[in-house]
């Protein structure tokens, strides 16, 4: 299948701290890549480099044929093509759910309000939140707000979606409703890079799992290989820390 995202020899440091070390990765259209690794290993920085939120010291990120370069004018176009959802949903508190979702497509993409609202309503319905369209963020639970944040990313029609620990701040009973939405996106063939600590979910959703440590890919494989037959001692130890959970 067609390659959509390619990372060649990406390195990044903050002052004297090396965070990403000559990292290379290639993602095919429709592929779901899950990235796991200990806290501070560079997962968020990696995703942020992919959509130009961080600049890169060395290497390159290619989206299709186009180079992602934070210093260039095409940066806003890159952000449209690569959507990102974070742990904190960052909805505008004084705007309704519908307004939160339709703001960027109307302002940035200059699309017609009626058409955007129609699409927003379909997407809200899909994630089970149509009844909340005129509510304000404070009237929603964390899980509901995170589903709105996903819709807000989807309505920009991104070619790649980056999800950075999107359930990490949620109460356990809300994790499921958000992960179910992500699973349904995977099933419809969306290209996604997902950082998560939910290992059962990772196993269910991933085409490929990557273990990142000290800014390097230490091990990668299919979910079966990765979780059932880890090769490196480091990954074995990492996975053990999750075996007492829940
Ligand atoms: P992860 O998401 O895997 O927990 P991060 O990518 O957030 O890791 O961070 C990797 C390392 O880079 C950490 O040591 C973190 O403290 C450091 N770091 C992240 N962002 C910055 C920043 N803006 N300035 C300085 N150091 C940073
Ligand atoms: Mg992080």
């Amino acid at each position: 299948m067609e390659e959509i995202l390619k990372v060649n020899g990406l390195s990044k440091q903050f002052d004297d701290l090396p965070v990403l070390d000559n990292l290379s990765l290639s993602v095919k259209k429709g592929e779901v890549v899950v990235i796991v690794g200990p806290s501070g290993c560079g997962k968020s920085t990696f995703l942020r480099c992919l959509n130009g939120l961080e600049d890169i010291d060395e290497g390159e990120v290619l989206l299709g044929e186009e180079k992602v370069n934070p210093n260039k004018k095409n940066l806003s176009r890159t952000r449209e093509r690569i959507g990102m959802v974070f742990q904190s949903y960052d909805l505008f508190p004084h705007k309704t759910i519908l307004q939160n979702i339709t703001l960027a497509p109307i302002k940035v993409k200059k699309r017609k309000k009626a058409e955007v609202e129609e699409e927003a309503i379909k997407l809200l319905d899909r994630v089970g939140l149509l009844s909340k369209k005129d509510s304000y963020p404070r009237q929603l639970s964390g899980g509901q707000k995170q589903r709105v944040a996903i819709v807000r990313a989807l309505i920009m029609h991104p070619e790649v979606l980056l999800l950075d620990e999107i359930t990490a701040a949620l109460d356990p009973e809300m994790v499921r409703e958000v992960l179910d939405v992500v699973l349904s996106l995977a099933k419809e063939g969306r290209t996604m890079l997902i950082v998560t600590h939910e290992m059962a979910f990772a196993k269910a959703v991933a085409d490929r799992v990557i273990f990142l440590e000290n800014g390097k890919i230490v091990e990668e494989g299919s979910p079966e290989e990765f979780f059932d037959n880890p090769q490196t001692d480091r990954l074995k130890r990492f996975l053990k820390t999750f075996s007492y959970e829940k």
Side-chain angles (χ1 to χ4, degrees), residues 4-196:
I4 190 161
L5 186 72
K6 199 161 168 58
V7 181
N8 293 321
L10 173 60
S11 294
K12 162 88 187 162
Q13 58 181 59
F14 290 112
D15 302 320
D16 292 337
L17 179 75
V19 178
L20 301 174
D21 182 9
N22 194 21
L23 212 152
S24 295
L25 177 72
S26 159
V27 180
K28 295 192 185 92
K29 197 160 186 242
E31 195 178 17
V32 177
V33 177
V34 169
I35 301 165
V36 303
S39 175
C41 75
K43 302 179 296 296
S44 295
T45 304
F46 180 56
L47 293 191
R48 291 167 58 82
C49 285
L50 298 185
N51 82 338
L53 283 172
E54 295 284 354
D55 34 59
I56 291 164
D57 296 334
E58 274 174 66
E60 60 177 10
V61 177
L62 295 165
L63 179 60
E65 301 290 301
E66 242 174 87
K67 197 166 162 174
V68 174
N69 182 337
N71 308 318
K72 287 233 175 89
K73 271 198 279 180
N74 64 7
L75 183 58
S76 69
R77 192 171 134 66
T78 299
R79 300 229 177 107
E80 284 172 32
R81 295 178 68 194
I82 307 188
M84 189 155 176
V85 183
F86 305 88
Q87 184 175 321
S88 60
Y89 356 88
D90 295 326
L91 300 175
F92 293 109
H94 302 300
K95 294 197 185 295
T96 66
I97 297 308
L98 191 65
Q99 288 167 340
N100 265 283
I101 293 166
T102 56
L103 195 70
I106 293 170
K107 285 233 157 139
V108 180
K109 286 204 154 178
K110 314 275 182 229
R111 287 173 59 193
K112 289 209 179 71
K113 188 168 180 235
E115 171 209 304
V116 173
E117 286 188 347
E118 193 182 326
E119 185 180 356
I121 283 167
K122 277 192 197 139
L123 287 168
L124 277 173
D125 193 25
R126 179 179 165 178
V127 302
L129 292 175
L130 186 52
S131 64
K132 303 289 184 191
K133 75 177 172 58
D134 299 317
S135 301
Y136 287 86
R138 70 183 140 75
Q139 298 170 304
L140 270 61
S141 72
Q144 290 170 334
K145 278 187 272 200
Q146 196 56 292
R147 283 183 277 156
V148 170
I150 293 171
V151 166
R152 186 182 49 180
L154 290 177
I155 204 162
M156 299 301 275
H157 306 155
E159 291 160 62
V160 178
L161 201 52
L162 311 175
L163 307 181
D164 190 4
E165 300 203 39
I166 63 168
T167 60
L170 300 180
D171 290 335
E173 69 268 27
M174 289 168 193
V175 169
R176 183 64 198 240
E177 67 193 38
V178 173
L179 295 184
D180 279 346
V181 169
V182 179
L183 271 172
S184 80
L185 296 176
K187 285 205 185 104
E188 72 178 30
R190 293 216 170 243
T191 312
M192 293 189 281
L193 270 77
I194 304 175
V195 171
T196 183

